[in-house]
Amino acid sequence: MSMSETEALASLRILVKVAQVDGSIHEEERRALTEALTDLRLPGTLDSLLGEEIDLDQQVRLLTSSAARDEAYKSAYAMAYADGAC
C-alpha cells in the first residue's frame, strides 16, 4: 500500500494517541511506535510525537484514501492490544 507522507504521519499520530489513552506508554507500545517511525522514514523523533497535543479527529480527517484508513484502523487495533490488554 502506498500512502502519502501526510497520511503516514497522521496514522502515526493516531497510533501515539491510542498508546497514550491509558495514561502511560508501555515498553511494547514504545517499541512498536519506534519501529513504525523508522519504517515510515518520517521526520522527527518518537519523543517529539509523544510531546505533541494530538487532535484525533483532525488526524483521521487527513486519511483521505480508503487504503490509508484501513491500514490506520488495523494498526490502531494492534496498538490497543500491544501491551497485552485493551
Side-chain angles (χ1 to χ4, degrees):
M1 179 202 64
S2 178
M3 71 171 75
S4 70
E5 185 174 318
T6 299
E7 289 177 317
L9 192 52
S11 295
L12 189 55
R13 285 183 172 125
I14 291 168
L15 294 182
V16 167
K17 192 68 171 179
V18 169
Q20 291 174 329
V21 85
D22 67 357
S24 64
I25 304 294
H26 300 276
E27 186 57 37
E28 298 85 1
E29 294 167 328
R30 183 174 289 280
R31 191 174 17 260
L33 290 168
T34 300
E35 186 175 312
L37 185 61
T38 303
D39 289 349
L40 294 172
R41 296 184 179 96
L42 295 173
T45 65
L46 179 56
D47 288 334
S48 66
L49 282 172
L50 292 173
E52 288 183 14
E53 191 65 36
I54 297 172
D55 179 335
L56 186 58
D57 291 331
Q58 178 184 12
Q59 297 309 307
V60 170
R61 283 192 297 273
L62 293 173
L63 302 175
T64 57
S65 71
S66 61
R69 286 189 300 272
D70 290 345
E71 193 61 34
Y73 176 82
K74 290 177 201 172
S75 297
Y77 185 88
M79 180 61 70
Y81 287 95
D83 64 356
C86 181

